[in-house]
């Protein structure tokens, strides 16, 4: 890919996917605007802050916008994630977030690429493993249990959040599990943001003993075929360093990085 291609893909990502607002908004979820910032409450364990850009805010005005979020979530007694992309302006935004008490977590790479090559690939699913689309809460709980085993951290918020999205519009998200002998060994989901050409992939955690068998790639290709069936032409993923090489080999291109800055009262 040329530099122009990367810029074109980044522009598509910025213009079509940002800010990241669920559509339709699930029951119990609130979307609020504070200047250029969009605040989402009730979808995850804490709040989420997203934006297309900050409208040129700098200096004291930007610090006050950040401080308002800190005050609000301190009063609510909830954590909140500010999703900061590498190309966001101003350049010192990360420094200002840290000064206000936000803590950066692991950086991820945003990759974007065409759906068609991903959908055309037909990797073999390992023997004894099957892929299945799920909507039932019991299956969502099995996914959370698998992720808790992988990450050694509470993932109960996944159950509530995914269930809310499925209830709001089952056509906006598809959750897929990889099962072996009745056990969920990996899972991922794909969202279909309204009024865009994109599908976005999430999840992809796999139990350690089932890694390096092609399950992650099979889940990617399965979800890409779902995206193609819906007429989506671009795929986007926020990926870890473990997943990035696989996704790049499959034709997705790094366009920026993203770092969750989390404030915890």
């Amino acid at each position: 890919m040329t530099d122009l291609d990367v810029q074109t893909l980044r522009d598509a990502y910025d213009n079509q996917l940002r800010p990241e607002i669920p559509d339709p908004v699930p029951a119990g979820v609130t979307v609020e605007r504070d200047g250029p910032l969009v605040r989402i409450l009730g979808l995850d364990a804490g709040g989420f802050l997203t934006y297309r850009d900050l409208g040129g805010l700098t200096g004291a005005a930007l610090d006050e916008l950040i401080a308002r979020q800190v005050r609000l979530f301190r009063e609510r007694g909830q954590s909140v994630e500010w999703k900061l992309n590498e190309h966001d302006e101003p350049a010192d935004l990360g420094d200002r977030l840290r000064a206000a008490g936000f803590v950066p977590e692991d950086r991820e790479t945003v990759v974007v690429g065409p759906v068609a090559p991903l959908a055309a690939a037909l990797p073999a699913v390992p023997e004894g493993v099957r892929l299945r689309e799920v909507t039932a809460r019991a299956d969502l709980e099995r996914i959370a249990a698998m992720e808790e085993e992988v990450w050694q951290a509470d993932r109960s918020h996944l159950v509530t959040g995914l269930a809310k999205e499925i209830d709001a519009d089952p056509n906006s998200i598809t959750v897929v599990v990889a099962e072996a002998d009745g056990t969920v060994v990996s899972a991922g989901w794909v969202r279909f943001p309204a009024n865009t050409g994109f599908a976005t992939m999430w999840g992809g955690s796999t139990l350690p003993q089932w890694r390096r068998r092609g399950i992650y790639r099979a889940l990617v290709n399965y979800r890409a075929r779902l995206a193609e069936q819906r007429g989506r032409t671009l795929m986007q993923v926020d990926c870890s360093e473990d997943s990035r090489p696989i996704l790049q080999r499959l034709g997705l291109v790094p366009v920026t990085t993203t770092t969750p800055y989390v404030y915890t009262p």
Side-chain angles (χ1 to χ4, degrees):
M1 300 291 275
T2 66
D3 289 342
L4 178 61
D5 292 322
V6 171
Q7 186 62 55
T8 300
L9 292 173
R10 182 189 297 160
D11 288 345
Y13 164 73
D14 281 337
N15 294 330
Q16 295 188 48
L17 293 181
R18 301 179 73 192
E20 297 179 20
I21 304 172
D23 185 9
V25 177
V29 174
T30 303
V31 176
E32 302 173 345
R33 293 188 179 270
D34 187 346
L37 200 62
V38 178
R39 192 166 49 233
I40 300 173
L41 306 168
L43 185 61
D44 212 329
F48 183 67
L49 302 170
T50 179
Y51 47 89
R52 165 61 180 84
D53 60 58
L54 293 177
L57 279 184
T58 59
L62 177 56
D63 288 339
E64 176 53 31
L65 176 67
I66 295 170
R68 284 200 298 274
Q69 314 317 310
V70 169
R71 289 195 296 269
L72 186 147
F73 284 95
R74 185 170 59 228
E75 290 170 1
R76 292 176 62 92
Q78 286 184 324
S79 64
V80 61
E81 175 187 328
W82 181 303
K83 183 174 182 178
L84 173 63
N85 286 338
E86 180 184 33
H87 63 291
D88 287 346
E89 295 182 347
D92 65 352
L93 179 54
D95 294 336
R96 292 179 181 276
L97 288 170
R98 283 190 291 270
F102 284 80
V103 177
E105 296 190 343
D106 292 341
R107 184 176 65 180
E108 297 180 319
T109 301
V110 179
V111 295
V112 177
V115 165
L118 290 172
L122 295 171
V125 178
E127 184 177 354
V129 176
R130 71 162 181 158
L131 305 185
R132 182 169 65 92
E133 297 174 26
V134 300
T135 58
R137 191 175 185 91
D139 286 314
L140 303 182
E141 290 171 350
R142 295 168 70 220
I143 291 171
M146 177 273 295
E147 290 224 353
E148 288 175 356
E149 184 175 344
V150 170
W151 300 108
Q152 296 298 298
D154 178 48
R155 287 293 191 269
S156 59
H157 63 275
L158 282 177
V159 180
T160 304
L162 291 173
K164 285 181 178 179
E165 291 186 71
I166 292 168
D167 288 344
D169 182 4
N171 293 317
S172 69
I173 183 172
T174 301
V175 182
V176 185
V177 296
E179 294 175 311
D181 296 326
T183 298
V184 173
V185 299
S186 185
W189 42 101
V190 54
R191 294 185 171 104
F192 306 101
N195 304 312
T196 77
F198 276 90
T200 64
M201 286 193 293
W202 306 87
S205 298
T206 305
L207 292 176
Q209 63 270 33
W210 287 92
R211 294 173 188 165
R212 303 187 183 278
R213 302 194 193 188
I215 296 174
Y216 177 83
R217 179 168 176 168
L219 279 169
V220 168
N221 294 129
Y222 186 98
R223 288 175 286 169
R225 288 192 288 277
L226 294 177
E228 187 175 57
Q229 291 166 11
R230 293 169 180 263
R232 303 305 172 104
T233 58
L234 290 173
M235 185 69 77
Q236 180 266 327
V237 189
D238 292 352
C239 63
S240 68
E241 281 304 295
D242 291 334
S243 302
R244 181 183 54 78
I246 301 171
L247 293 169
Q248 284 191 251
R249 286 196 295 271
L250 293 173
L252 299 183
V253 178
V255 299
T256 189
T257 64
T258 183
T259 303
Y261 276 73
V262 177
Y263 170 77
T264 304

